[in-house]
Amino acid sequence: MDEDYKLLVAAIDFGSTTAGYAFSFRHEYRKDPLDISTFLWTTGNHDIATSKAPCSVLLDLEKRFIAFGYEAEDKYEGILANNLQDDWYYFKGFKMLLYKAIENGEDIARDFKIDDVGGKSMSARRIFSIAIGYLRRHLLIQLRERNVGLHESEIWWTITVPSIWTEPAKEFMMQCAEKAGLDRQKVSILFEPEAASIHCRLLPVDKFIGNNKVTSFKSFEAGRKYIVVDAGGGTVNISTQEVSRGEEIDMLYKVSGGPWGGDKINEEFMKLLCNVFGDDIIQQFRDFNGPDYLDLTRQFELKKKTYNRFLKNDIVMRLPFELCDLFETYTGRKIEDAICKSKYSGKIKFKKSKLCLSPEVFEDLYADIVLNVTQEIGKILNHPRCKDVSAILMVGGFSESEILQLEIKNAFPDLQFFIPMEGGLAVLKGAVIFGHNPRTFGTRLCNFTYGVNAMLPYSKRRHPESHRVIWNDKPYCSNIFRVLFIVNEEIKEGEVRSIRVIDAFETEEAQENRLSPIRVQIFASDEEDPVYTTDEGCRLHAEIVVSPPDGKWPRRVFGTVELEFAGTEMIGTYISDDTGAKTCARFEYLPSVSTSRASSARSRRDSLRSKGIVENHFTSKATLRTIQEEDTYSRRSRKSTDKKQMGSSVSLDTISDDQSFKGSFMLNRGNLYKHNSRTSIYSDNEGKGSTASLRQLVASTTSINTTDSDNDEIKIEVD
């Protein structure tokens, strides 16, 4: 893609608790990549100013957008004071609801409902789109007020997402961005820990704090291996990287993490209050005393930020009178008695309307998070590629927690620790730098095995009868998984691998098919060595649909299928031998989560910006087979030749009984998968090629419903 149109790169960091944007112009980046602008968000009375705003959205009862961020918080506090919350929708910290929806098996492809703080539900896609749309509109207004002569088509957007998100979750975010007014052809998705690393490697030494406040010039020298811990409000994302000699970043281990962010501490605190006061009391207090509940949560947030582990002082919080009165009125008991009968007896005190938590109790709120994070880091360090990791880089708002820092340091005393100043902006600014230079990463790990659905001449000795099909009066074994990229192997940016393919129309019965498009199916698998595309863990990832030149294919059609690794996406291309025309399909993104989650995820159909529409297929699962050979070359030989340099091409050949087919695979005609919504992507067949933004398709058993109950136009006004 031509980079010259990128006059400005803007990044959106859509967090669980806060959200914001940053940007820089092309000339600023070329002069100083760290010259990045952010907006300062303030409350109504300007007593708080931050680089990111609370991720809060307020709508009226007719679901019209009213406010975002601090403005939404301030307005909703007044609404609560007047007990009018039933007449409003207020969403706060809703990003993790997407993760939870997938964990609960909800079909996010159909959209799904999320509840506001009062339990009223709305379309998740609408709320996410409103938030992204507000940030987009806010930036455009800021640029207009600066009298910048810039058209929105000259802006490239980067949106950051947690590394634990599944393919459908990332596609959901892309759809929300498109609904918010962004051109998806000018949007890239970047994992949060990768963005943080990009930014931190460019920081000068005085922007780092190392062990004992000592800085180090060698934190990002060539050959240095390090772990990035991006701790935010909702998630902790962990990435293991190495600085190559070419000053690129190589990925050493698949990105990982979990829902272990700072919000979990808040949840643990609420569990503590429920243990003392009872679930019903806390729920009533929350429902009918909104301003006081909000004040209590803000108090706790402040204690989290100001806690000093070495002082060993109790954490003192003022309990709202309404909570104390509610408890004593409904239970007829004193709060002191309730504490004595709880598991916190002797560790919590109640004096003059103040709750006093011992340091032991307060730090125990962090125990599960610390355990999860340290176990994940330990697992990474035990991997052969990561044995010589020497440092941990901590970024994100939650990384500023003294407890989290010290616990990780104590768990790994032999590693150096680096915490950049303004670590909460590392992700946002790194995403801007990535937008200017997307080739920052040298190698990544392939989290799935990718290949083409093909056929081979049928052999009774090697192939099951269930895969036997007749094509052109000859028996073939259908649904062969021809591997091009292997799970967990290192892949260089720009690496290309190819396979020769053929389609033939020899018999009279096959002649009518010469008028139909050729379909090249790209499959993904959790296994290193899948045999059939119907094996468990395999799923249709994308499809390239090529129309016949001049409306009709010749009797034999020869071509090449290429898969190119392009950073956060794969590009599949069919090249016709006869015309040289190319038909391309981009399918984002390289998956980043556990394969068990990925294989259970459902997918979403997407309208295309090129000619035609993506076709949805739903793969039927079969019993995993252990057949080791499907053709005349060894898998071991293939693995040894697969590791090629950037831009190289691998030709994976087999031998057919028909010598005219030698060196080619027959495109699959077995149709052992189910079909739905048969539509196509068409090539222009003029040698210029066409590119379709074709998103991945994941196994499912239901049809796709693109209707949106709240699909009215989003109108956002920014003062």
Side-chain angles (χ1 to χ4, degrees):
M1 179 179 290
D2 184 7
E3 303 289 322
D4 290 339
Y5 76 89
K6 294 183 182 180
L7 296 185
L8 181 141
V9 171
I12 294 177
D13 183 14
F14 190 87
S16 300
T17 55
T18 59
Y21 64 81
F23 63 93
S24 72
F25 290 90
R26 184 174 61 193
H27 69 275
E28 293 174 332
Y29 169 78
R30 290 175 175 175
K31 184 177 180 180
D32 178 9
L34 294 175
D35 185 6
I36 299 171
S37 301
T38 59
F39 184 78
L40 202 62
W41 305 87
T42 61
T43 57
N45 54 15
H46 299 281
D47 60 340
I48 298 177
T50 58
S51 297
K52 291 195 284 187
C55 199
S56 305
V57 174
L58 179 67
L59 299 92
D60 63 17
L61 200 56
E62 284 72 41
K63 302 180 181 180
R64 292 181 298 227
F65 172 78
I66 301 298
F68 177 86
Y70 284 118
E71 183 185 4
E73 283 193 347
D74 292 342
K75 287 182 179 295
Y76 191 67
E77 192 168 358
I79 290 170
L80 290 174
N82 292 292
N83 201 28
L84 298 174
Q85 57 267 33
D86 289 343
D87 297 332
W88 300 82
Y89 288 87
Y90 181 63
F91 295 88
K92 183 178 178 66
F94 47 87
K95 176 182 174 181
M96 285 303 294
L97 297 178
L98 175 57
Y99 175 82
K100 292 178 180 178
I102 295 175
E103 287 288 283
N104 293 333
E106 293 190 46
D107 187 2
I108 66 171
R110 294 171 171 266
D111 198 3
F112 63 102
K113 298 293 185 179
I114 58 175
D115 292 339
D116 77 341
V117 297
K120 299 183 292 296
S121 63
M122 269 190 65
S123 158
R125 184 179 289 111
R126 175 164 170 75
I127 298 302
F128 278 76
S129 300
I130 285 174
I132 295 173
Y134 178 89
L135 295 172
R136 164 187 167 266
R137 184 86 177 116
H138 196 281
L139 169 61
L140 295 178
I141 290 177
Q142 297 302 311
L143 296 174
R144 185 178 64 199
E145 291 179 350
R146 296 186 184 188
N147 294 319
V148 176
L150 184 75
H151 192 273
E152 189 173 358
S153 63
E154 298 169 310
I155 300 176
W156 182 271
W157 299 86
T158 305
I159 299 177
T160 60
V161 298
S163 60
I164 65 170
W165 274 18
T166 62
E167 297 167 82
K170 286 176 280 188
E171 173 60 13
F172 179 88
M173 285 296 293
M174 183 64 83
Q175 292 173 358
C176 291
E178 187 175 31
K179 184 175 180 179
L182 276 63
D183 180 354
R184 68 186 303 156
Q185 303 302 322
K186 296 179 180 179
V187 178
S188 56
I189 297 289
L190 181 63
F191 300 133
E192 291 167 357
E194 295 180 2
S197 179
I198 292 171
H199 176 252
C200 292
R201 66 191 283 264
L202 298 178
L203 287 176
V205 66
D206 60 347
K207 298 297 183 181
F208 271 102
I209 300 176
N211 293 340
N212 301 319
K213 309 296 183 181
V214 177
T215 55
S216 170
F217 281 100
K218 296 184 178 181
S219 55
F220 288 96
E221 63 183 357
R224 186 68 176 266
K225 296 182 180 181
Y226 56 95
I227 292 174
V228 180
V229 178
D230 174 26
T235 61
V236 173
N237 301 282
I238 304 173
S239 177
T240 311
Q241 305 169 7
E242 178 182 11
V243 180
S244 70
R245 296 191 180 279
E247 296 189 353
E248 295 175 327
I249 299 175
D250 294 336
M251 306 303 296
L252 299 177
Y253 190 83
K254 64 181 180 180
V255 286
S256 58
W260 313 321
D263 291 346
K264 279 289 184 182
I265 311 300
N266 301 3
E267 293 179 13
E268 293 299 320
F269 177 63
M270 285 299 141
K271 290 179 182 178
L272 182 151
L273 294 180
C274 289
N275 185 273
V276 173
F277 295 95
D279 294 340
D280 293 342
I281 297 297
I282 295 299
Q283 187 62 48
Q284 287 190 54
F285 171 67
R286 179 176 181 172
D287 291 344
F288 298 104
N289 300 92
D292 296 303
Y293 177 81
L294 188 61
D295 179 67
L296 182 60
T297 57
R298 286 176 173 173
Q299 280 191 71
F300 184 71
E301 281 291 341
L302 183 61
K303 297 300 180 182
K304 285 166 54 180
K305 295 178 180 179
T306 59
Y307 176 72
N308 189 319
R309 191 175 198 180
F310 298 103
L311 294 179
K312 299 295 182 182
N313 292 334
D314 285 350
I315 293 81
V316 181
M317 300 179 62
R318 181 187 61 82
L319 287 183
F321 169 80
E322 287 76 7
L323 175 59
C324 301
D325 183 64
L326 182 66
F327 176 79
E328 294 182 353
T329 300
Y330 275 81
T331 66
R333 301 162 56 199
K334 296 291 185 181
I335 294 177
E336 295 88 339
D337 296 336
I339 293 175
C340 289
K341 293 182 180 180
S342 74
K343 68 177 184 178
Y344 299 105
S345 178
K347 301 176 183 178
I348 294 179
K349 301 175 184 177
F350 180 72
K351 296 180 180 179
K352 297 181 179 179
S353 299
K354 292 181 179 179
L355 188 68
C356 304
L357 309 181
S358 68
E360 176 188 357
V361 169
F362 185 76
E363 293 186 17
D364 192 55
L365 301 176
Y366 290 73
D368 288 343
I369 287 179
V370 169
L371 179 63
N372 286 324
V373 174
T374 53
Q375 283 183 343
E376 188 66 29
I377 294 175
K379 183 170 68 174
I380 292 171
L381 293 174
N382 287 329
H383 192 277
R385 288 197 191 104
C386 310
K387 289 290 186 181
D388 49 352
V389 165
S390 58
I392 292 179
L393 172 66
M394 296 187 65
V395 297
F398 187 37
S399 69
E400 299 172 3
S401 165
E402 187 177 273
I403 295 176
L404 184 63
Q405 291 178 14
L406 292 176
E407 289 293 341
I408 295 178
K409 288 180 181 180
N410 291 338
F412 307 101
D414 296 332
L415 300 183
Q416 285 185 292
F417 281 79
F418 297 95
I419 305 169
M421 297 178 182
E422 295 186 333
L425 291 176
V427 170
L428 193 54
K429 293 185 175 182
V432 174
I433 297 171
F434 176 82
H436 286 290
N437 180 22
R439 294 189 178 271
T440 302
F441 290 92
T443 62
R444 294 177 186 264
L445 296 182
C446 192
N447 280 17
F448 281 172
T449 294
Y450 291 99
V452 176
N453 193 9
M455 294 197 305
L456 289 172
Y458 181 78
S459 168
K460 289 184 178 180
R461 180 176 60 85
R462 293 184 299 164
H463 302 142
E465 178 67 24
S466 60
H467 282 254
R468 184 177 182 272
V469 297
I470 300 298
W471 181 248
N472 290 319
D473 291 335
K474 295 180 181 180
Y476 283 88
C477 179
S478 64
N479 289 14
I480 297 293
F481 197 124
R482 170 50 51 219
V483 174
L484 292 178
F485 288 95
I486 303 174
V487 64
N488 289 328
E489 71 168 312
E490 296 181 18
I491 314 175
K492 281 188 171 293
E493 182 99 6
E495 186 166 346
V496 178
R497 298 180 185 173
S498 64
I499 176 177
R500 293 280 296 157
V501 295
I502 186 171
D503 210 345
F505 309 92
E506 302 286 353
T507 63
E508 289 302 319
E509 292 79 4
Q511 295 310 301
E512 63 180 35
N513 291 292
R514 295 173 64 185
L515 306 176
S516 302
I518 287 177
R519 301 174 182 275
V520 181
Q521 295 177 325
I522 311 299
F523 270 75
S525 173
D526 306 326
E527 304 297 326
E528 280 191 6
D529 215 12
V531 176
Y532 300 112
T533 57
T534 51
D535 287 347
E536 187 170 345
C538 297
R539 55 206 157 274
L540 184 63
H541 203 65
E543 188 173 46
I544 309 170
V545 183
V546 189
S547 292
D550 301 323
K552 188 175 184 179
W553 293 108
R555 284 182 174 268
R556 291 188 177 183
V557 182
F558 293 89
T560 301
V561 176
E562 293 183 346
L563 282 188
E564 178 186 356
F565 171 66
T568 55
E569 66 182 2
M570 283 279 190
I571 301 176
T573 304
Y574 176 84
I575 306 171
S576 169
D577 280 8
D578 292 332
T579 66
K582 297 181 179 181
T583 304
C584 302
R586 297 174 180 267
F587 37 101
E588 300 180 2
Y589 308 91
L590 282 184
S592 63
V593 296
S594 68
T595 55
S596 60
R597 255 193 248 126
S599 47
S600 66
R602 297 183 177 98
S603 171
R604 172 84 160 91
R605 182 177 59 195
D606 171 51
S607 60
L608 297 173
R609 290 189 173 274
S610 65
K611 301 174 183 178
I613 307 172
V614 62
E615 178 182 35
N616 291 288
H617 292 261
F618 302 103
T619 308
S620 60
K621 294 186 176 180
T623 304
L624 183 64
R625 299 170 179 85
T626 58
I627 299 175
Q628 298 300 314
E629 288 290 328
E630 284 304 323
D631 46 58
T632 59
Y633 82 98
S634 70
R635 304 263 180 175
R636 181 175 300 176
S637 173
R638 183 194 70 220
K639 291 182 180 179
S640 65
T641 60
D642 273 350
K643 306 244 178 170
K644 297 292 183 181
Q645 297 301 315
M646 181 183 300
S648 65
S649 177
V650 180
S651 180
L652 302 177
D653 298 336
T654 189
I655 298 175
S656 169
D657 294 334
D658 188 336
Q659 291 302 305
S660 65
F661 290 1
K662 184 175 180 179
S664 299
F665 283 91
M666 180 73 76
L667 287 173
N668 186 69
R669 291 280 181 173
N671 297 327
L672 295 183
Y673 43 83
K674 299 176 183 178
H675 293 267
N676 186 43
S677 305
R678 180 169 290 281
T679 48
S680 305
I681 303 169
Y682 295 100
S683 166
D684 56 17
N685 285 305
E686 295 176 355
K688 299 178 181 179
S690 59
T691 299
S693 181
L694 180 58
R695 306 296 164 175
Q696 67 273 38
L697 308 173
V698 185
S700 179
T701 56
T702 57
S703 60
I704 299 297
N705 179 7
T706 59
T707 59
D708 183 353
S709 57
D710 299 299
N711 195 27
D712 51 314
E713 183 181 357
I714 300 174
K715 297 181 179 179
I716 300 174
E717 300 295 334
V718 183
D719 296 329

